[in-house]
């Protein structure tokens, strides 16, 4: 279970990232190439494969009368923050053990 400090660190980073993504994309949802860039995928084909295989790490959803799948900027920001904080703490543990 994550410590309170780790949770607070994750939430603070997620909030910062959400603000930056909202400013960059101008909407609370993103899709297509914007989602590829935000999530760090190599191509739209890779993104689609992960969505199709149900291995995409955040929820995506259709919107009636619109093509493609959409994700909330908030979910993207939260996932990115979790990855960053987990990597940082993992690196610290490895450094302390070594």
């Amino acid at each position: 279970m994550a410590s309170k400090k780790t949770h607070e660190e994750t939430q603070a980073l997620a909030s910062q990232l959400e603000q930056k993504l909202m400013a960059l994309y101008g909407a609370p949802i993103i899709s297509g190439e914007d989602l590829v860039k935000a999530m760090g995928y190599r191509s739209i084909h890779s993104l689609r494969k992960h969505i199709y295989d149900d291995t995409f790490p955040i929820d995506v959803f259709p919107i009636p009368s619109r093509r493609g799948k959409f994700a909330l900027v908030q979910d993207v920001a939260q996932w990115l923050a979790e990855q960053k904080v987990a990597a940082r703490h993992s690196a610290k543990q490895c450094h302390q053990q070594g």
Side-chain angles (χ1 to χ4, degrees):
M1 189 163 115
S3 71
K4 183 177 179 181
K5 182 179 178 184
T6 300
H7 177 74
E8 290 172 354
E9 182 181 359
T10 301
Q11 293 311 111
L13 181 56
S15 179
Q16 292 172 359
L17 289 170
E18 183 178 357
Q19 289 175 8
K20 288 180 180 183
L21 290 169
M22 282 290 295
L24 182 62
Y25 298 115
I29 60 172
I30 57 176
S31 66
E33 289 293 338
D34 292 338
L35 190 55
V36 169
K37 290 176 193 172
M39 294 293 291
Y41 281 84
R42 293 180 143 217
S43 69
I44 191 74
H45 304 291
S46 178
L47 173 85
R48 288 179 182 148
K49 180 179 181 343
H50 284 271
I51 290 172
Y52 179 80
D53 291 345
D54 202 25
T55 59
F56 195 65
I58 61 172
D59 289 333
V60 292
F61 52 92
I63 295 179
S65 302
R66 303 268 309 269
R67 293 183 70 186
K69 300 283 186 173
F70 298 83
L72 294 175
V73 166
Q74 178 182 3
D75 292 344
V76 173
Q78 182 68 37
W79 183 81
L80 291 171
E82 289 168 359
Q83 302 315 299
K84 173 66 175 177
V85 171
R88 183 181 302 147
H89 287 278
S90 178
K92 282 182 183 178
Q93 287 178 346
C94 287
H95 181 69
Q96 289 173 352
Q97 291 174 356

